[in-house]
Amino acid sequence: QVQLVESGGGLVQAGGSLRLSCAASGSIFSINRMGWYRQAPGKQRELVAVITSGGSTNYADSVKGRFTISRDNAKNTVYLQMNSLKPEDTAVYYCNAYVTRLVTDTKISADDYWGQGTQVTVSS
């Protein structure tokens, strides 16, 4: 199986910065898309940023210019640098990865995997 472990959340004042990390481990053959989603209380989970294995990125309009997603393919790790944080960025942030696993010598399986979530709280 595959595990995603997030770190880096916490409490920060408005205007501050945080850096989230998410490391994937397990029976990984390759990872295509990696990304970050967030869910605030009473709201649906939403895309924050995504990055492909080739480095192409996409951001939610609400975070463009403030957040930067990056990845280290050798370490199967994705990062989210969050600057100029606002109270409305408060949410549980989830790591996501589309992983291809080598199930047998001749069979592969591709699935979405999620981390357990890390709380980000921005105080005004």
Side-chain angles (χ1 to χ4, degrees), residues 75-115:
K75 296 181 179 180
N76 290 331
T77 299
V78 63
Y79 307 95
L80 185 68
Q81 178 66 44
M82 304 185 293
N83 298 328
S84 302
L85 283 160
K86 304 176 180 179
E88 50 263 43
D89 294 318
T90 295
V92 178
Y93 284 69
Y94 296 92
C95 174
N96 169 263
Y98 190 71
V99 179
T100 298
R101 296 188 302 120
L102 190 63
V103 179
T104 67
D105 289 346
T106 58
K107 181 181 179 181
I108 61 173
S109 175
D111 294 284
D112 262 318
Y113 291 88
W114 293 89

Side-chain angles (χ1 to χ4, degrees), residues 2-80:
V2 175
Q3 298 80 39
L4 302 182
V5 178
E6 300 135 336
S7 61
L11 173 64
V12 65
Q13 289 188 332
S17 298
L18 283 173
R19 189 189 193 213
L20 305 183
S21 300
C22 171
S25 63
S27 55
I28 296 171
F29 180 72
S30 65
I31 303 179
N32 184 357
R33 179 189 70 251
M34 300 188 82
W36 292 93
Y37 291 72
R38 67 186 181 187
Q39 187 167 19
K43 295 187 177 181
Q44 289 187 333
R45 189 174 298 189
E46 64 176 0
L47 172 70
V48 176
V50 63
I51 185 168
T52 67
S53 57
S56 296
T57 59
N58 191 35
Y59 295 90
D61 288 342
S62 59
V63 307
K64 283 181 180 177
R66 300 188 297 122
F67 291 11
T68 302
I69 189 170
S70 60
R71 64 188 283 176
D72 184 331
N73 291 331
K75 296 181 179 180
N76 290 331
T77 299
V78 63
Y79 307 95
L80 185 68

